[in-house]
Short mmCIF file of all heavy atoms in Angstrom, two decimals:
data_model
loop_
_atom_site.label_atom_id
_atom_site.label_comp_id
_atom_site.label_asym_id
_atom_site.label_seq_id
_atom_site.Cartn_x
_atom_site.Cartn_y
_atom_site.Cartn_z
N GLU A 13 -197.54 21.51 124.87
CA GLU A 13 -198.78 21.92 125.45
C GLU A 13 -199.89 20.71 125.20
O GLU A 13 -200.59 20.39 126.18
CB GLU A 13 -199.46 23.28 124.74
CG GLU A 13 -198.69 24.46 125.10
CD GLU A 13 -199.32 25.63 124.25
OE1 GLU A 13 -200.13 25.49 123.53
OE2 GLU A 13 -198.70 26.77 124.50
N VAL A 14 -199.83 20.10 124.05
CA VAL A 14 -200.78 19.10 123.76
C VAL A 14 -200.40 17.88 124.67
O VAL A 14 -201.24 17.23 125.22
CB VAL A 14 -200.76 18.69 122.25
CG1 VAL A 14 -201.38 17.36 122.07
CG2 VAL A 14 -201.27 19.74 121.40
N ALA A 16 -198.84 17.85 127.50
CA ALA A 16 -199.33 18.29 129.02
C ALA A 16 -200.71 18.04 129.13
O ALA A 16 -201.25 17.48 130.20
CB ALA A 16 -198.85 19.59 129.27
N CYS A 17 -201.45 18.33 128.16
CA CYS A 17 -203.07 18.23 128.25
C CYS A 17 -203.32 16.76 128.27
O CYS A 17 -204.30 16.29 129.12
CB CYS A 17 -203.61 18.98 127.08
SG CYS A 17 -205.43 18.77 127.03
N GLU A 20 -202.59 15.17 131.61
CA GLU A 20 -203.55 15.69 132.59
C GLU A 20 -204.88 14.90 132.54
O GLU A 20 -205.45 14.43 133.52
CB GLU A 20 -203.68 17.11 132.57
CG GLU A 20 -204.64 17.71 133.66
CD GLU A 20 -204.19 17.53 135.05
OE1 GLU A 20 -202.87 17.33 135.28
OE2 GLU A 20 -204.96 17.31 135.93
N HIS A 33 -213.00 17.40 134.98
CA HIS A 33 -211.55 17.31 134.94
C HIS A 33 -211.08 17.56 133.47
O HIS A 33 -210.09 18.30 133.20
CB HIS A 33 -211.18 15.86 135.30
CG HIS A 33 -209.66 15.66 135.27
ND1 HIS A 33 -208.94 15.88 136.48
CD2 HIS A 33 -208.91 15.33 134.31
CE1 HIS A 33 -207.62 15.58 136.11
NE2 HIS A 33 -207.62 15.22 134.83
N VAL A 34 -211.89 17.06 132.42
CA VAL A 34 -211.45 17.14 131.13
C VAL A 34 -211.49 18.64 130.64
O VAL A 34 -210.72 19.17 129.94
CB VAL A 34 -212.22 16.23 130.15
CG1 VAL A 34 -212.09 16.67 128.74
CG2 VAL A 34 -211.82 14.89 130.36
N LEU A 35 -212.60 19.39 131.08
CA LEU A 35 -212.71 20.77 130.71
C LEU A 35 -211.61 21.59 131.36
O LEU A 35 -211.06 22.48 130.63
CB LEU A 35 -214.12 21.33 131.29
CG LEU A 35 -215.29 20.76 130.63
CD1 LEU A 35 -216.68 21.26 131.23
CD2 LEU A 35 -215.33 20.99 129.01
N ARG A 36 -211.22 21.33 132.54
CA ARG A 36 -210.16 22.13 133.13
C ARG A 36 -208.78 21.78 132.32
O ARG A 36 -208.00 22.75 132.17
CB ARG A 36 -209.88 21.70 134.57
CG ARG A 36 -210.95 22.27 135.52
CD ARG A 36 -210.48 22.20 136.99
NE ARG A 36 -210.30 20.78 137.34
CZ ARG A 36 -211.26 19.95 137.89
NH1 ARG A 36 -212.42 20.46 138.05
NH2 ARG A 36 -210.99 18.81 138.27
N ALA A 37 -208.56 20.49 131.97
CA ALA A 37 -207.35 20.13 131.18
C ALA A 37 -207.37 20.76 129.95
O ALA A 37 -206.18 21.21 129.41
CB ALA A 37 -207.30 18.69 131.11
N LEU A 38 -208.49 21.03 129.26
CA LEU A 38 -208.49 21.60 127.89
C LEU A 38 -208.45 23.01 127.82
O LEU A 38 -208.25 23.68 126.78
CB LEU A 38 -209.64 20.97 127.17
CG LEU A 38 -209.63 19.58 126.65
CD1 LEU A 38 -210.97 19.11 126.25
CD2 LEU A 38 -208.59 19.38 125.58
N ALA A 39 -208.81 23.73 129.00
CA ALA A 39 -208.87 25.19 129.05
C ALA A 39 -207.67 25.93 128.67
O ALA A 39 -207.72 26.88 127.73
CB ALA A 39 -209.30 25.54 130.50
N PRO A 40 -206.39 25.51 128.92
CA PRO A 40 -205.29 26.22 128.32
C PRO A 40 -204.97 25.99 126.99
O PRO A 40 -204.44 26.72 126.17
CB PRO A 40 -204.12 25.71 129.26
CG PRO A 40 -204.85 25.12 130.50
CD PRO A 40 -206.04 24.39 129.93
N LEU A 41 -205.40 24.77 126.48
CA LEU A 41 -205.16 24.45 125.11
C LEU A 41 -206.17 25.14 124.19
O LEU A 41 -205.78 25.60 123.07
CB LEU A 41 -205.36 22.86 124.93
CG LEU A 41 -204.69 22.22 123.72
CD1 LEU A 41 -203.17 22.37 123.85
CD2 LEU A 41 -205.14 20.79 123.64
N ILE A 42 -207.44 25.21 124.50
CA ILE A 42 -208.45 25.77 123.71
C ILE A 42 -209.16 26.80 124.52
O ILE A 42 -210.29 26.52 125.11
CB ILE A 42 -209.45 24.84 123.20
CG1 ILE A 42 -208.77 23.48 122.59
CG2 ILE A 42 -210.41 25.31 122.10
CD1 ILE A 42 -208.05 23.78 121.28
N PRO A 43 -208.60 27.99 124.67
CA PRO A 43 -209.33 29.13 125.57
C PRO A 43 -210.63 29.35 124.92
O PRO A 43 -210.81 29.39 123.70
CB PRO A 43 -208.31 30.26 125.37
CG PRO A 43 -207.00 29.70 125.00
CD PRO A 43 -207.34 28.46 124.05
N SER A 44 -211.66 29.61 125.85
CA SER A 44 -213.03 29.94 125.32
C SER A 44 -213.67 30.66 126.49
O SER A 44 -213.35 30.56 127.64
CB SER A 44 -213.81 28.70 125.01
OG SER A 44 -213.96 27.82 126.06
N SER A 47 -217.14 26.53 127.83
CA SER A 47 -216.98 25.24 127.25
C SER A 47 -217.97 24.36 127.96
O SER A 47 -218.45 24.51 129.00
CB SER A 47 -215.55 24.70 127.40
OG SER A 47 -215.18 24.68 128.82
N PHE A 145 -216.51 24.23 122.50
CA PHE A 145 -215.77 25.43 123.06
C PHE A 145 -216.42 26.71 122.30
O PHE A 145 -216.35 26.81 121.08
CB PHE A 145 -214.28 25.34 122.75
CG PHE A 145 -213.67 24.15 123.42
CD1 PHE A 145 -213.69 22.94 122.74
CD2 PHE A 145 -213.13 24.26 124.70
CE1 PHE A 145 -213.17 21.77 123.42
CE2 PHE A 145 -212.70 23.01 125.34
CZ PHE A 145 -212.76 21.84 124.60
N ARG A 147 -216.87 30.91 121.66
CA ARG A 147 -216.20 32.18 121.75
C ARG A 147 -217.12 33.39 121.27
O ARG A 147 -218.01 32.94 120.43
CB ARG A 147 -214.86 32.22 120.86
CG ARG A 147 -213.76 31.48 121.56
CD ARG A 147 -212.49 31.71 120.79
NE ARG A 147 -211.37 30.92 121.31
CZ ARG A 147 -210.30 30.59 120.62
NH1 ARG A 147 -210.10 31.06 119.40
NH2 ARG A 147 -209.33 29.88 121.28
N GLU A 156 -205.67 25.26 116.48
CA GLU A 156 -206.51 24.84 117.60
C GLU A 156 -207.32 23.63 117.21
O GLU A 156 -207.57 22.75 117.95
CB GLU A 156 -207.41 25.99 117.97
CG GLU A 156 -206.69 27.09 118.77
CD GLU A 156 -207.41 28.33 119.14
OE1 GLU A 156 -208.32 28.69 118.24
OE2 GLU A 156 -207.38 28.84 120.26
N LYS A 159 -204.98 20.71 117.35
CA LYS A 159 -204.60 20.32 118.79
C LYS A 159 -205.82 19.55 119.35
O LYS A 159 -205.60 18.57 120.07
CB LYS A 159 -204.54 21.64 119.78
CG LYS A 159 -203.22 22.42 119.42
CD LYS A 159 -203.24 23.65 120.24
CE LYS A 159 -202.05 24.57 119.98
NZ LYS A 159 -202.07 25.79 120.75
#
Side-chain angles (χ1 to χ4, degrees):
E13 290 175 0
V14 170
C17 178
E20 184 59 30
H33 184 93
V34 168
L35 290 179
R36 286 195 301 270
L38 285 167
L41 200 67
I42 314 291
S44 64
S47 58
F145 302 86
R147 285 183 184 166
E156 287 171 324
K159 291 178 186 179

